Amino acid sequence: GGTRTLTGERGPDPRTATLTDIVGAVEAGGSDGPFHFDGSFTIAGQELLLEVTTGRTAAAAALPLRVTLSLPDRVLGGVTGTAGDGGAGSLRFAGVLDRSPGTAISGELRGEGRRLGDLTTVLAGLTGRPASEQSRAGNARPADTRPWTLAGQFTWADGRILLDGLEAAVGDSRAVGSVEIPLQGRDRGREASLVLSFTALDLDDWTGGDVPVLPDGGALTLDLLADAVTSRGDTLREVSLIGRLADGSLMVERAAATLPGGLVVEGAGSLSTPAGGLALDATLTARTENLRAALTWAGMWAGMDVAAVPLERLRRAALTTRVQAAAGRGAQARQPPPPRS
């Protein structure tokens, strides 16, 4: 089979991806189509199946286009199938290629797979980024066995890729939203953005209970919401975060969550994970209408006992504090007067 190297020019450290063992066959219904390609190639040691079907070509007309990219079953120890049967995972696009004016691709994108780790391995190869580096960046592990699905409206035009009306699921986590990615050489002032609203997000499922390492790649603006977030056995409600991720640091414009016991926490600041540690500098505000309930929850892990405090006490409370913490040394806090109760 043939070999081809793809080079990306975006960012100060361009990456390359090499496709090997490229084989396939093209069928044509005539000089102007329709055309059909069925083949395969290997990237980062992983074989992929590719199927492309187009309609008839016509000057200044949109060209119907279908593309299926699949992982063969044998990545899970089964037998190799064809691109159309899905195998261990697949991405399927159905839409049009519009060549007037300019060039644009738009349509519906759907995908599903048995193991998220297979998808991240493929994406690592396509971006020229080793899967081990993605794992260090806090992304899904290559051995991740959670099933995944996604669906949305895909657009590639005006120097950007947009996935709108996104519906995605990984394991027990579910989200809707949009993703925008600017392409190299176009509109360099625009940053990638991620807008997601989760009905459920299991952080333990993503991190294994450890502090994730923030990626040190390009800039990404974030607008995240979640009805419920599970972390270390507790459930946080009405969680939100607006911020910007760049160069291994997360700048938080605003974050908020309702903790168990009805404790509402809001904050802003910066978070980074140098060498797998943690560095935090943030201003936090906490308020509750039932301090007793909040302290009772906190007592599960702080050893507090509020049962002996009279019932008329420990009601409404508010607190504002600045927290500075770093790996290897405890948190430092500067606080205003004690909370009001």
Side-chain angles (χ1 to χ4, degrees):
T3 299
R4 183 169 183 179
T5 299
L6 308 177
T7 302
E9 300 177 355
R10 185 183 177 198
D13 184 21
R15 300 181 183 272
T16 61
T18 301
L19 281 59
T20 62
D21 302 322
I22 302 173
V23 297
V26 177
E27 298 177 357
S31 59
D32 62 348
F35 299 97
H36 180 80
F37 172 83
D38 199 347
S40 65
F41 61 90
T42 299
I43 186 167
Q46 174 62 63
E47 182 186 10
L48 294 175
L49 310 178
L50 177 64
E51 183 177 350
V52 181
T53 302
T54 74
R56 293 184 180 276
T57 61
L63 179 68
L65 177 65
R66 291 181 178 270
V67 180
T68 301
L69 186 65
S70 301
L71 289 145
D73 270 334
R74 71 184 179 198
V75 297
L76 295 181
V79 297
T80 301
T82 63
D85 68 14
S90 66
L91 289 171
R92 302 182 303 280
F93 171 82
V96 296
L97 169 62
D98 191 347
R99 296 167 292 169
S100 176
T103 300
I105 298 176
S106 61
E108 183 181 49
L109 180 67
R110 290 187 174 273
E112 68 276 324
R114 301 173 190 165
R115 307 194 329 159
L116 183 63
D118 295 332
L119 176 65
T120 57
T121 298
V122 171
L123 293 178
L126 290 173
T127 59
R129 187 178 191 183
S132 58
E133 183 179 337
Q134 284 201 338
S135 179
R136 291 195 302 272
N139 294 323
R141 302 170 297 279
D144 197 324
T145 59
R146 291 173 296 169
W148 60 274
T149 63
L150 68 84
Q153 292 298 314
F154 175 90
T155 302
W156 184 348
D158 300 325
R160 65 171 184 163
I161 290 176
L162 175 65
L163 187 57
D164 203 8
L166 173 65
E167 299 180 5
V170 175
D172 294 329
S173 299
R174 304 282 188 274
V176 297
S178 64
V179 180
E180 181 177 350
I181 305 173
L183 302 179
Q184 63 270 23
R186 304 280 189 89
D187 198 3
R188 295 184 181 274
R190 180 185 294 171
E191 294 181 344
S193 67
L194 177 64
V195 179
L196 289 178
S197 178
F198 293 86
T199 53
L201 174 61
D202 189 339
L203 284 183
D204 296 334
D205 201 24
W206 284 95
T207 66
D210 298 327
V211 176
V213 178
L214 298 176
D216 56 3
L220 173 67
T221 61
L222 299 170
D223 188 344
L224 308 177
L225 294 172
D227 293 337
V229 175
T230 301
S231 177
R232 302 192 178 188
D234 287 318
T235 299
L236 285 63
R237 305 287 182 184
E238 300 175 334
V239 180
S240 64
L241 185 149
I242 297 175
R244 180 176 182 269
L245 183 62
D247 302 322
S249 296
L250 176 62
M251 300 299 298
V252 179
E253 179 180 336
R254 181 184 181 278
T258 300
L259 279 57
L263 182 65
V264 179
V265 178
E266 299 177 348
S270 64
L271 173 69
S272 60
T273 53
L278 177 68
L280 173 68
D281 186 353
T283 299
L284 302 178
T285 298
R287 66 181 186 276
T288 180
E289 297 296 321
N290 189 340
L291 183 58
R292 179 182 298 274
L295 291 178
T296 298
W297 165 75
M300 297 179 183
W301 50 266
M304 298 181 182
D305 183 6
V306 298
V309 180
L311 292 178
E312 65 272 12
R313 297 181 180 271
L314 300 179
R315 297 183 183 275
R316 180 180 301 175
L319 170 70
T320 297
T321 183
R322 181 176 179 185
V323 177
Q324 295 174 303
R329 56 190 178 94
Q332 303 173 347
R334 295 184 297 188
Q335 304 182 40
R340 304 179 300 275
S341 60

